[in-house]
Amino acid sequence: MISVWVRHNLAAIDDKTTKLRDDNLQLKLDIQQLNQDISNQKSKIAGLKQDKENSKKTSSNKLKIKNLKASSNYYDKVAEAIGDYKNIEADVTKNKGKKDIQDKLDKITNKINEAFSTYKSSVDIDSNSEEDNQKRKEISKFYKDLSGEMNKIRNGYQSKDSKQIKKGQQKLTTVSSNISS
């Protein structure tokens, strides 16, 4: 009787051992699957972080391109205005007070003012890059100097003040030579 009871208990223990081995094997497989899932999720997170970083770079590049285009358009318009002035400079120097020359000076001054206004509305002022801030300062100073000299020339021509025209022309030459810098 004891041997039947021992055999029965041994069989029960053997069954439990087998079940525990099976459960242990299943747990190991489950752990292996969870580790694989964790690894996959880490890869996805790394990919998303890279996408986010690339998106920031793309956004930053678009902003730089936008600001470069605004600067380039400004300089193109200013160069055009200076070219217009060069076409009438000899007549301005003669200082005869002709209305058509005065009108052309007014148009050139307006073209310079419009170029700066367009630049200011086109450039992204939210950009905090040192390069963009520096470029805005340079263009603002350039505009201030250029418009000041054109106003001297225009006002000198209007009042037939040769000295004021000459001063404006000399400084305009200096200022406009900075357009290529």
Side-chain angles (χ1 to χ4, degrees):
M1 214 168 179
I2 291 183
S3 80
V4 172
W5 180 78
V6 170
R7 270 190 245 142
H8 179 342
N9 282 341
L10 284 176
I13 290 174
D14 194 36
D15 287 344
K16 285 183 182 181
T17 302
T18 302
K19 182 172 178 356
L20 287 174
R21 276 191 198 124
D22 290 345
D23 288 348
N24 189 32
L25 179 61
Q26 187 58 48
L27 287 173
K28 285 181 180 180
L29 291 173
D30 289 347
I31 289 171
Q32 206 174 27
Q33 184 60 47
L34 287 173
N35 285 335
Q36 183 62 43
D37 290 347
I38 289 170
S39 178
N40 291 343
Q41 292 301 322
K42 284 181 179 179
S43 293
K44 285 181 183 178
I45 289 170
L48 290 172
K49 283 181 181 178
Q50 187 62 46
D51 288 349
K52 182 179 175 183
E53 192 60 37
N54 290 344
S55 177
K56 284 181 185 178
K57 286 179 184 177
T58 300
S59 177
S60 174
N61 288 343
K62 284 181 183 177
L63 185 63
K64 284 182 180 186
I65 289 169
K66 178 182 178 183
N67 290 342
L68 285 172
K69 280 184 181 178
S71 299
S72 178
N73 289 338
Y74 171 74
Y75 284 123
D76 287 347
K77 289 178 183 176
V78 166
E80 185 180 306
I82 290 172
D84 292 348
Y85 174 74
K86 293 293 182 189
N87 291 335
I88 63 167
E89 185 173 30
D91 291 326
V92 171
T93 303
K94 290 176 187 172
N95 196 16
K96 293 189 177 182
K98 290 183 177 179
K99 174 129 178 61
D100 66 319
I101 300 298
Q102 185 65 48
D103 289 344
K104 288 178 182 178
L105 287 171
D106 291 343
K107 285 180 184 175
I108 292 167
T109 302
N110 287 339
K111 191 180 275 189
I112 290 169
N113 293 336
E114 287 172 16
F116 186 67
S117 180
T118 301
Y119 167 76
K120 282 184 11 181
S121 65
S122 297
V123 76
D124 193 321
I125 58 172
D126 292 333
S127 171
N128 291 324
S129 82
E130 187 61 37
E131 184 180 344
D132 288 341
N133 289 335
Q134 184 63 32
K135 182 54 83 175
R136 284 194 297 267
K137 287 177 186 176
E138 287 173 12
I139 288 178
S140 292
K141 182 180 179 345
F142 178 76
Y143 164 72
K144 182 180 174 187
D145 294 344
L146 179 64
S147 66
E149 299 318 318
M150 278 306 303
N151 283 329
K152 277 183 192 171
I153 293 169
R154 191 181 60 149
N155 294 338
Y157 189 80
Q158 187 173 21
S159 63
K160 292 188 178 185
D161 183 344
S162 294
K163 287 182 183 179
Q164 190 174 9
I165 291 172
K166 196 69 168 167
K167 271 186 186 178
Q169 286 175 329
Q170 288 171 342
K171 288 189 177 182
L172 179 64
T173 301
T174 304
V175 169
S176 63
S177 70
N178 291 335
I179 198 168
S180 60
S181 321

